[in-house]
Amino acid sequence: MDKIDFSDKYFMQQAYKEAREAFNKDEVPVGALIVSKGQIIARAHNLTETLNDVTAHAEMLAITSAAENLGGKYLPNCTLYVTLEPCTMCAGALNWAQIGRIVIGAPDERRGFTRHQPSPLHPKTEVTTGIMAEECAELVKNFFKNKR
Amino acid sequence: MDKIDFSDKYFMQQAYKEAREAFNKDEVPVGALIVSKGQIIARAHNLTETLNDVTAHAEMLAITSAAENLGGKYLPNCTLYVTLEPCTMCAGALNWAQIGRIVIGAPDERRGFTRHQPSPLHPKTEVTTGIMAEECAELVKNFFKNKR
């Protein structure tokens, strides 16, 4: 069983708010935040269309912002909350950042990092899944339904 | 056998120059460039220390810069030259960019994307390896030797 902090749902709700902001900008609705010592130190949503940049995923922007905030590029005592399972790019970045923990909303069977072996994550990174999974998945589903 | 364009060595020499710039800044010496229709449209070197950002790999900076230059975030008609085998993060980004071709200098047995299955690259991306492999590997080796 995954470990669930009492505050995971609260922080995922905040990440979900970010995902909704992306939705409202016609971006694939994914939101992320990074928490250190119970404080949100970075929040971001997907901006690949707005910035015309495939690397501008919510997780990447959050990692860059958290490192700037902390003044150090490693995040071993931080938790990333993200509404959708990170892709390989983001998992690779989270590995370099040595993030302590990742909390994931909905799984991404097509592009999620868990399809890849060995895991692209750092071996010390803890992973919790399924927090607000339905709401997070529904948002992405609605986004793509509107596109068809 | 890998396909070798007559110009691959020329462009890899340019990527190597970028790697040397990284070396001179005390950054892990990796350089990258992106070529479209025979023209260099982006050049970059690793800046993770300078920018205090684990995502600032040469390839990531080159992808962002090339997309800005072209005004579109997909790079199917472009070739990336990089002195060291990309990591999973960079391979994932190259996948999202749908890059047409990648030319690699030295292999990276520890952190290279080829360790991972299925391949994090886009299925249509062509890969050429081993251009200036010795020089590119030597530069990285010298960098880490100086660190010990």
Side-chain angles (χ1 to χ4, degrees):
Chain A
M1 267 288 272
D2 286 326
K3 185 179 85 179
I4 299 184
D5 278 358
F6 74 95
S7 52
D8 280 351
K9 192 161 177 199
Y10 169 75
F11 288 124
M12 189 59 81
Q13 278 166 341
Q14 299 299 310
Y16 183 79
K17 273 193 196 170
E18 288 291 325
R20 285 210 63 95
E21 279 201 49
F23 188 96
N24 293 338
K25 290 177 181 168
D26 210 24
E27 296 274 2
V28 175
V30 181
L33 39 101
I34 293 179
V35 172
S36 169
K37 299 175 188 165
Q39 300 267 346
I40 298 170
I41 61 164
R43 50 193 314 151
H45 51 268
N46 177 37
L47 286 174
T48 49
E49 297 301 322
T50 309
L51 299 179
N52 182 40
D53 185 348
V54 297
T55 74
H57 282 193
E59 303 93 314
M60 304 297 279
L61 301 173
I63 291 168
T64 299
S65 168
E68 199 177 334
N69 189 315
L70 290 178
K73 67 189 197 301
Y74 298 116
L75 310 170
N77 300 314
C78 296
T79 299
L80 172 95
Y81 290 82
V82 60
T83 57
L84 188 69
E85 180 186 331
C87 72
T88 333
M89 170 180 74
C90 294
L94 291 161
N95 184 328
W96 287 115
Q98 300 177 18
I99 194 129
R101 183 169 173 246
I102 300 177
V103 182
I104 297 169
D108 183 354
E109 280 160 34
R110 259 188 75 238
R111 304 293 303 236
F113 75 90
T114 54
R115 291 191 315 128
H116 296 271
Q117 297 303 325
S119 171
L121 287 182
H122 195 280
K124 287 192 181 164
T125 301
E126 282 181 57
V127 180
T128 300
T129 56
I131 308 294
M132 291 180 64
E134 276 182 40
E135 295 96 317
C136 294
E138 194 69 22
L139 195 60
V140 174
K141 208 173 129 189
N142 284 341
F143 176 82
F144 284 109
K145 199 160 65 186
N146 292 344
K147 292 286 167 201
R148 272 172 218 131
Chain B
M1 267 288 270
D2 285 326
K3 185 178 85 179
I4 298 183
D5 278 358
F6 75 95
S7 51
D8 280 351
K9 190 155 181 206
Y10 168 74
F11 288 124
M12 189 59 82
Q13 278 166 343
Q14 299 298 311
Y16 183 80
K17 272 194 195 171
E18 288 291 324
R20 284 210 64 93
E21 279 200 49
F23 187 96
N24 293 339
K25 290 176 183 170
D26 209 26
E27 297 275 1
V28 176
V30 181
L33 40 102
I34 293 179
V35 172
S36 169
K37 298 176 189 165
Q39 301 268 347
I40 298 170
I41 61 164
R43 50 193 316 150
H45 51 267
N46 178 36
L47 285 174
T48 50
E49 296 302 321
T50 307
L51 299 179
N52 182 42
D53 185 350
V54 296
T55 75
H57 282 194
E59 301 94 313
M60 304 297 278
L61 301 173
I63 290 168
T64 299
S65 168
E68 199 177 334
N69 188 315
L70 291 178
K73 67 189 199 301
Y74 298 117
L75 310 170
N77 300 314
C78 296
T79 299
L80 172 96
Y81 291 83
V82 60
T83 57
L84 188 69
E85 181 186 333
C87 71
T88 331
M89 170 180 74
C90 293
L94 292 162
N95 185 327
W96 288 115
Q98 300 177 18
I99 195 130
R101 184 169 173 245
I102 300 176
V103 181
I104 298 169
D108 184 353
E109 279 159 34
R110 260 189 75 239
R111 304 293 306 235
F113 75 90
T114 54
R115 292 190 316 127
H116 295 273
Q117 297 302 326
S119 170
L121 287 182
H122 194 280
K124 287 192 183 164
T125 301
E126 283 181 55
V127 180
T128 300
T129 57
I131 308 295
M132 291 180 64
E134 277 181 40
E135 296 95 316
C136 294
E138 195 68 21
L139 194 60
V140 174
K141 208 172 130 192
N142 284 342
F143 176 81
F144 285 108
K145 199 160 63 186
N146 292 344
K147 292 284 165 200
R148 270 173 220 130

